[in-house]
Every structure is written in structure tokens, then in C-alpha cells.
Amino acid sequence: MKSNSDLWSRRRFLTTTGAAALGGVALDLAGNLPQAAAADLVSYVDTSKSTYDKLVLMVDGKPFYHSGIQFRYEKHKYTFGWTDAQLKPVLQMIRDDGFTVVNIPIWWSQVETSKDTFDWTDIDRYLAWCKEYDIKLELLWFGCDSTGFSLAPRFPSYVLNDYQLVLKSDGTKLALNGTNLLDKTDPNLLSREKYVLGRLMAHIAAADTSHTLIGVQVLNEPNVAQMQWGQSSDRSYSTYSTDRWNSGGYTDAAKFRNDVLLDYLNQLGQVVKQSSHSVYTRVNVVGDARPITENEALRNQGKAFIDFFGRDPYTQSNDALYQYGTDGFWAQGKNFPMIMENFAGTPAADVQKFNAIAGNTAFNLYAALDPDSSTGSSNHGLYNFNPTTKVVTRKAVSDKVAALNHVLNKIHRDMASKSPVEAGGTNLQTFNRNATASATTTKPVGGVDITYTTSSGAQAFAVRRGAAEFAFTGTGEATFTVPGTVGVIRSVETGHYDGNDNWVRAGAKTYSTVSGNIAIDLAAGECVRVTYFVSGATYKMRHSSSGLYLDTDLNGTVTLAAKTVYDDQDWIVAKNPSGSWTIKNARSGRNYLETVSSNNGVLWNSGSVSDSSLWSLEGVAGGGIRVKNNSAGRAYLYRTSAGEVKWNSGSQDSSTVWAFEPK
């Protein structure tokens, strides 16, 4: 056993300044610990709330919607003998079911098989499979401790021989079923674990140029002096621990455990965040130390290397999951609210996930498969498996969770960057969180009261994405009703938002008008975008049936032509004080779209505004806009069979439908 003369006490950590206090890492001028170079900053938590109204996970500079599930590759393979050929298809199922992140543990022994012998086979496999299936990876570092046990298979044999174990007050080793717990006050253990984790991160930096790995969990349910579900001590009574207790002037064992755990984790986190592949760090704590308040104090000093702590609540209570994201302890300060593990296989796992999200909490399911199930099916496994053949199959809740995931992915940027209204936000609203079979409710979305009705038990989301854009989506059949007072509808379409948050249109969506309000019936899993005209905005006007665009030429001529990039096809649509609209060509010298009595003509004028150059914009339930002139006896702008632009006397056939495409 090596001397403990260089032990790292909390007092020294917090009061020493400069590089000496942080193992040679210099502070910046503001006293903050430096991150990796910008080119290497893969992910982090934006805690500023300057751009978004919540704490936001950022990956490659963009808000990232985190929807995770744990996959116990290592336990299936090394404890229960599964093969890669049996395990790889499970990852494909995870991807197909709409998860954006997979959490995969990696044991110390998978990285360092014996002292100073490193093997990158498993981490390379994780990265390659996740890259192939286009899913992000969170690595769960199973180092010196997982759930309060230092399990021999999870690190090379020298670790248990070379480093201090937790001792009880009588000097005997803390033990349960022949297993012990390594002592986190041993500075030599910490130094070695930092070295091994550093080697791992250096390898990842070289191997993962596509940024597949986006986060690292530092240890798993770590403890200081407790073996979960069994033996415990108030603290370790080793020489290291006792010296630290005395030098820190401690009298409170709980405070001592929090400080010991945080110091250990923070230094491991420093290795990750100052590597050449800097990612966010997290820790799940359920045992004898939960140093969230202490970590916030470190954060305020610019010295925190753990981005956030979270719980593994394993509850089926909708209310408990819903309230987690605003809990005074777990959501304190800038601690990003995340449930690290919860039941994946309960019959209502989808509803439970929805409740966590509705309360502003990122949510991870445990697990894809329950490795400890003797039957292959349990509340812990999203999928079932045959214990003999290892064939994996979905069960009823698998499809329900997948359906929810696919809905969420259609509005992923909003989910990543907007806080739900009931958790303090403004523009993201959730409906029917308890999945009541028949429900009607009215809730505010960006200051507009939206009514939601379902008789299918569906759960849903509504988003206000700007002054003139809403998005609606849900898990089952339902109706959204939007007040007609919001404005003039420009388009109602079905589709989704892509990886860059651009709308991908699948088609026009039919809607109805009820008492002046807009009612939109959604199918299960459908996402609908509703846009409104913005006064003063510029649009191209596409004739819906011909695909040609309203164009201008000299001497007031208005025609239809194929799309160009020129401004003679650009029209500025503005609301007049009368409540009607003007449609003005953007080309210099060309002014308002106007009707004339002769030959039902349409032209651009020299700048006058009268009934003949004022228009009503009428939404068409099947998609598109009808443009109606205000002059008595003159009705809709249309395309004649000869391809001319004219006004008619009132017909509403397909020749009168236009699409306004924003510039």
C-alpha cells in the first residue's frame, strides 16, 4: 500500500488556487476551469437560458433531443454468453423504435484487461455499430464502483490487490456476498482510474471523428460506504479516510460522504471534459451520497466538471415522474433534469415517459433487454427474449414506446429547446398526460388557447414556433382547434421537421372551420404544421394546379411562368388598416396587384390603393389560398384555360387555389 501523504482533501481542493489545486491544470483569468478547444467540443449543457427557455443539451453546436435507453451489451455478452451476432440486431431495434441515444456500459476491464494492457475492441464496436445505425452513444463508465459494489470481473485483478477497500469502524472490510467496495479516499486509486479513463478518452478522440459519442456517465450509482441492498458504514475508517476526516474538521458523516464522492467524480469528469473529445458528463446517484447542492456550489465557482446528477427512481407514478423536472432538489440551480433509469417494460412505460417529458425531464429507459431475467421478460426490459435461443421480440409496450418516440422526433428541436408550459415555458404544451380515454381540454400555447379533444386515449404536443407557425402531433387520433382570431391561415400541411429543423412537407392537410375556428383532425403519429400570413413578408405565389408562379413584366403585365430567382416573382403581402391585404411586387417601380374591369384583367399598378388593389385571403380546407378582390362583382384570382391570369365572378374550382411560399 502506498503512502497517503498526497491525499486530496475537499478543503485543499476548494481553497487552493491555480494549477497546483487541479493537478497542473491552470485556471483562466476568471478563475474558471478551461474546456477543450472549440474544435473538440462535441457536446455540453447550455445553462445560460439566453437563447432558450430551458437548460439545453448541445451537440455539435445544435440543441439535441435526448431520448435514451440502456443496452447491457457487456452483461449479456460477458456474464450470460450472448454473441455479437445475437446482440447487434437489438441495437437496430432501438434505432428503428426512434431512440436518439443508447446508453451502453463499459467496464474498466473491457478497456484495461491487465495492468497497462489496453484493448479497444469493445469501444470500437460500440462506436461502429452506433455510427452504422445513426444513433448517438452515451458511455456508462463502470469503474471502481457500480451500485456500491467493486465487482471483480469489472476491472483488472490488480485493482483489488493494489488499492484500499472501505473499512468499517471495527477495522474489518465492508463486505456483502464476498464482494467489497473500493475506498474513494485512496488517492492512488483515483490517480489510476483517471489515467485509464484518460487513455480511453484519447482513443475515442482519435477513433470517433464523426462525434458518435456525445456523453459519459461517470460511474454508476456510486456509493462511498454503502453496498446497496445490504451492508453499509457511516464512512470508511481506513487511514486515508480518517486522515481526510480529521484534516477537514468533519463532524457530519453525510457531509463527508457527499464531499468525498463529489471530489472523486469531479476529477474523473475533468478527465472527460478536458480530453480531445469533450462531452457532457453525468452521474446517477441513488446511494449514500447525493452531492447535487455541493456540485452547484462548485459550478458557481467555475470548478464543476460534472454537468448534472440524476436519479434512477424506478417508479410507475405518473405524478412523481411529472414533478421530477421541477423538483427543488433534482432540478436545483443549473442541474439539467434527467431521469437516468426507469422501467422500460411496464405496460404503461410510454405514458410514464410522456409524464417525465411533460415535466421538463429527459428520460432514459432501463433497459432494451433485462439481462437478469430468467424468463426473458420483465418490467425492466422493453423487449422480450427467449433465454435459450436468444431470439428477441417486441411486446405490446414496445410498439407504444416506439410510437411516442417517432412523434417526439418529428418536433425534436422543439423538444430539445423549449420548456413545457406547465414547467415554466411558453411555447410547448402537452395534452392528456394520464392518457385518459376520452378527454377535452383547452390550454395556452404561446399565448393562444388551443383546444384538444381525443376519444382514443392519445397524448399530444402543441408547439408555437413563431408568430406565424404552430405544430401539432400526438400518439393517437385527436382534434386540435385553433381560434380563428390568430390570423389568416397560409398553409396546413402534414410532415415533420428534419435534422436541421427544416419542415419536410408530406402533403396538404384538410381542416374544417367551426364557428370561425380552425379544427384539424390528426391521425395517430401525424405531425401537422399550421402557418399564417405575416404582414410585410415576401412570398412567391404558386398556382397550385399548374405549378407556375405569378410573374410580372413591363407595362403592368401579370403572367404565369416557371419559378425563377428574380424579384419580379416576389410579392410583399401586407395587411391594410381596413383589414384587407395588399399584394405588391418587389421589383422596383412595380406596385400593387390590381383588377380592372376590362376583360376581367389583372395587372400591377403605379402605386394606388383602392378596392381594386385590396384582397381577402381565404384558406382552403384542402390546402392553399384563394385570393378574392374587394371590388364589387369581382371575385377570385385564377388561371384561365389559356394560361392567363384573370379575376372571376365567384367560382371556387381548383384554378383559383394558390400557394404562398415564403422567401
Side-chain angles (χ1 to χ4, degrees), residues 161-297:
N161 295 326
D162 290 359
Y163 303 114
Q164 179 66 55
L165 298 174
V166 171
L167 302 180
K168 296 188 291 186
S169 58
D170 62 4
T172 62
K173 299 173 185 176
L174 188 69
L176 182 64
N177 299 326
T179 301
N180 305 111
L181 177 60
L182 286 158
D183 192 333
K184 293 179 180 63
T185 64
D186 182 346
N188 303 302
L189 171 66
L190 174 58
S191 177
R192 184 64 186 183
E193 187 161 2
K194 288 169 62 177
Y195 170 72
V196 173
L197 184 57
R199 288 287 302 268
L200 173 61
M201 293 307 300
H203 175 77
I204 290 169
D208 185 23
T209 56
S210 60
H211 294 179
T212 297
L213 178 73
I214 62 167
V216 173
Q217 179 178 287
V218 181
L219 301 183
N220 181 68
E221 299 182 3
N223 286 255
V224 173
Q226 173 181 276
M227 308 182 80
Q228 288 174 216
W229 317 290
Q231 298 295 315
S232 66
S233 176
D234 62 337
R235 66 174 179 89
S236 176
Y237 285 83
S238 67
T239 301
Y240 293 123
S241 181
T242 299
D243 286 351
R244 186 165 180 165
W245 173 276
N246 292 333
S247 65
Y250 286 95
T251 58
D252 183 342
K255 176 174 173 50
F256 180 75
R257 293 194 302 270
N258 277 347
D259 289 352
V260 167
L261 182 60
L262 181 58
D263 288 352
Y264 197 96
L265 295 172
N266 202 50
Q267 292 195 57
L268 293 182
Q270 180 178 357
V271 171
V272 174
K273 295 191 74 67
Q274 293 186 340
S275 74
S276 294
H277 191 96
S278 181
V279 297
Y280 65 79
T281 53
R282 66 172 175 99
V283 185
N284 57 338
V285 284
V286 301
D288 65 355
R290 302 181 182 188
I292 293 84
T293 302
E294 291 81 356
N295 194 56
E296 289 305 298

Side-chain angles (χ1 to χ4, degrees), residues 499-532:
N500 292 315
D501 200 33
N502 296 315
W503 177 249
V504 179
R505 180 183 186 273
K509 177 68 177 177
T510 299
Y511 61 92
S512 59
T513 302
V514 181
S515 301
N517 299 322
I518 305 304
I520 308 164
D521 295 329
L522 267 67
E526 187 176 27
C527 181
V528 170
R529 183 182 74 156
V530 180
T531 62
Y532 293 83

Side-chain angles (χ1 to χ4, degrees), residues 242-382:
T242 299
D243 286 351
R244 186 165 180 165
W245 173 276
N246 292 333
S247 65
Y250 286 95
T251 58
D252 183 342
K255 176 174 173 50
F256 180 75
R257 293 194 302 270
N258 277 347
D259 289 352
V260 167
L261 182 60
L262 181 58
D263 288 352
Y264 197 96
L265 295 172
N266 202 50
Q267 292 195 57
L268 293 182
Q270 180 178 357
V271 171
V272 174
K273 295 191 74 67
Q274 293 186 340
S275 74
S276 294
H277 191 96
S278 181
V279 297
Y280 65 79
T281 53
R282 66 172 175 99
V283 185
N284 57 338
V285 284
V286 301
D288 65 355
R290 302 181 182 188
I292 293 84
T293 302
E294 291 81 356
N295 194 56
E296 289 305 298
L298 276 189
R299 195 194 307 275
N300 290 336
Q301 299 174 52
K303 297 177 180 179
F305 287 101
I306 300 300
D307 286 309
F308 52 98
F309 287 81
R311 252 191 107 190
D312 300 347
Y314 285 103
T315 179
Q316 297 184 54
S317 166
N318 289 341
D319 288 346
L321 295 167
Y322 175 67
Q323 293 161 7
Y324 181 91
T326 54
D327 182 86
F329 184 70
W330 296 103
Q332 65 179 287
K334 296 180 178 180
N335 191 62
F336 180 82
M338 177 183 284
I339 287 174
M340 310 294 191
E341 298 177 15
N342 204 63
F343 294 115
T346 57
D350 59 318
V351 176
Q352 291 150 20
K353 177 172 181 171
F354 184 98
N355 272 267
I357 293 167
N360 198 33
T361 297
F363 192 77
N364 295 280
L365 293 170
Y366 184 94
L369 304 171
D370 179 2
D372 299 305
S373 172
S374 60
T375 65
S377 180
S378 80
N379 282 346
H380 290 91
L382 181 62

Side-chain angles (χ1 to χ4, degrees), residues 327-486:
D327 182 86
F329 184 70
W330 296 103
Q332 65 179 287
K334 296 180 178 180
N335 191 62
F336 180 82
M338 177 183 284
I339 287 174
M340 310 294 191
E341 298 177 15
N342 204 63
F343 294 115
T346 57
D350 59 318
V351 176
Q352 291 150 20
K353 177 172 181 171
F354 184 98
N355 272 267
I357 293 167
N360 198 33
T361 297
F363 192 77
N364 295 280
L365 293 170
Y366 184 94
L369 304 171
D370 179 2
D372 299 305
S373 172
S374 60
T375 65
S377 180
S378 80
N379 282 346
H380 290 91
L382 181 62
Y383 310 124
N384 292 336
F385 66 90
N386 183 304
T388 303
T389 65
K390 309 296 192 290
V391 172
V392 179
T393 55
R394 288 179 173 85
K395 53 187 180 182
V397 75
S398 312
D399 294 328
K400 293 193 292 182
V401 169
L404 175 61
N405 287 345
H406 290 306
V407 160
L408 294 164
N409 290 342
K410 291 179 179 180
I411 53 169
H412 62 94
R413 183 67 60 83
D414 299 300
M415 301 308 303
S417 62
K418 292 179 173 66
S419 181
V421 172
E422 290 163 0
T426 302
N427 294 312
L428 172 64
Q429 184 61 270
T430 60
F431 294 88
N432 200 23
R433 69 178 179 88
N434 288 314
T436 304
S438 294
T440 296
T441 184
T442 300
K443 291 184 174 184
V445 184
V448 176
D449 287 341
I450 304 293
T451 299
Y452 174 77
T453 303
T454 184
S455 58
S456 67
Q459 299 178 295
F461 302 88
V463 186
R464 187 162 197 175
R465 292 174 49 85
E469 182 178 357
F470 288 83
F472 306 104
T473 188
T475 60
E477 294 181 352
T479 300
F480 281 97
T481 302
V482 186
T485 53
V486 173

Side-chain angles (χ1 to χ4, degrees), residues 479-502:
T479 300
F480 281 97
T481 302
V482 186
T485 53
V486 173
V488 177
I489 286 181
R490 180 175 65 82
S491 66
V492 181
E493 298 171 336
T494 184
H496 69 278
Y497 293 91
D498 68 13
N500 292 315
D501 200 33
N502 296 315

